[in-house]
Amino acid sequence: MTFQSLCPTDLITVLMTLGDDAPHVALLRHDQNTPTFEESHHSLQKRLCHWAETLTHCPIGHMEQLYTFSSFPMQGQTPHIHITYLALSSSHPQSCHGSLYHHFPWEDRRSESGNQNLARFITKIEQWASGHEERQSRIAPAFGLYELPWDDTRVLERYELLWESGLVPRSIPADDVTDGDSRRLLATALSRLRARIRYSPAVFELLPKAFTLLQLQQAMETVSGRLMHKPNFRRLVLHQKLVEETGTYDRSTVGRPARLYHFRPAAMASCYLEAAFLPLETPTS
């Protein structure tokens, strides 16, 4: 398969998985120099999914188009068009670009050190916005300032402000995928994933088929970068009947074995894991 257009076009898959303590990501680029797709898949998305699974040996549970953007490798050169997709897997590829919180440390608010890290960035961004009404009006909702709430889905807005202010670079080390615009792509992917776990079963695609309620809570905390109130979270999951017991137990840890659950496909249309009417965050967040 080749791409015929006014400028070079390629496909990029952002493969998201759960690491031990952070979302991990692998950027996979399919361009004119990559082997052609299998003709057995009539959908471009299905072809790309099959190619990514073959390349990484990771089964992909969910895939969707992310966004399309252009980049300019060097001044005066023809821009490149990048069509990007977000893919979720419960497995880990052998090679990846590492922890998302390594590239966006201000997004992880699960510890005191993480909140202190965010505070340092806020101090600097407030200095940049000082005396500029337009800048202040933009940083307030993005960083939850001046009594506005913190919105974990505003990852892209926060990154763009930090880049515009000169506090962070555009690219990540050894970026050979997006011609230097990788942080924007990763911020967009994390924003999309954080939004999807609010109203869809996307988080279950990052977990094994059988999991404990604690593992589910930890997955939500890892993606959102926030700690959640354990009783409230379990009450919400069980009240919505999102999961059901498998009849087996997790005996891999010391102490009382934990019940194993799996997602109920019948709950597909009523999955609201971050319902606004129920306080899920811990009282100290």
Side-chain angles (χ1 to χ4, degrees), residues 78-281:
T78 303
H80 281 70
I81 299 298
H82 305 287
I83 304 172
T84 65
Y85 286 81
L86 173 64
L88 306 179
S89 178
S90 59
S91 300
H92 301 279
Q94 291 184 347
S95 61
C96 68
H97 288 77
S99 162
L100 278 178
Y101 295 145
H102 175 74
H103 306 303
F104 305 97
W106 55 88
E107 292 295 338
D108 187 2
R109 303 192 58 189
R110 293 171 294 167
S111 65
E112 184 61 30
S113 61
N115 285 315
Q116 290 174 354
N117 198 354
L118 172 63
R120 287 191 288 269
F121 277 102
I122 288 178
T123 298
K124 294 178 181 179
I125 200 74
E126 285 187 308
Q127 292 173 349
W128 172 77
S130 178
H132 297 266
E133 184 176 348
E134 186 270 340
R135 291 180 180 178
Q136 290 177 336
S137 68
R138 292 165 59 203
I139 69 172
F143 288 89
L145 306 180
Y146 319 132
E147 299 185 356
L148 292 177
W150 171 271
D151 186 344
D152 56 277
T153 66
R154 292 180 178 265
V155 183
L156 181 59
E157 294 176 54
R158 286 188 283 271
Y159 157 71
E160 289 181 332
L161 285 164
L162 291 171
W163 172 74
E164 183 180 340
S165 63
L167 294 175
V168 298
R170 288 177 60 189
S171 61
I172 62 177
D175 178 22
D176 56 354
V177 177
T178 63
D179 299 318
D181 206 16
S182 51
R183 259 203 176 94
R184 179 182 299 276
L185 175 56
L186 296 181
T188 302
L190 184 55
S191 292
R192 176 74 62 84
L193 181 57
R194 284 182 170 182
R196 286 197 64 82
I197 64 173
R198 292 172 178 265
Y199 61 85
S200 81
V203 69
F204 295 100
E205 302 295 352
L206 299 170
L207 290 166
K209 290 188 179 297
F211 49 82
T212 66
L213 291 181
L214 178 60
Q215 288 173 330
L216 175 58
Q217 178 184 336
Q218 290 173 336
M220 288 289 292
E221 292 175 336
T222 299
V223 173
S224 66
R226 304 299 300 273
L227 295 177
M228 295 184 177
H229 191 268
K230 184 176 179 179
N232 282 348
F233 179 79
R234 295 192 174 203
R235 188 179 302 117
L236 176 62
V237 171
L238 297 176
H239 175 72
Q240 293 191 28
K241 299 180 180 179
L242 301 180
V243 299
E244 59 187 8
E245 296 181 20
T246 64
T248 57
Y249 293 82
D250 178 15
R251 304 182 185 278
S252 62
T253 59
V254 178
R256 183 179 178 181
R259 296 178 186 273
L260 288 170
Y261 295 79
H262 61 78
F263 176 67
R264 290 181 64 248
M268 185 74 70
S270 59
C271 186
Y272 297 96
L273 280 173
E274 287 192 310
F277 60 85
L278 189 61
L280 296 184
E281 293 177 339

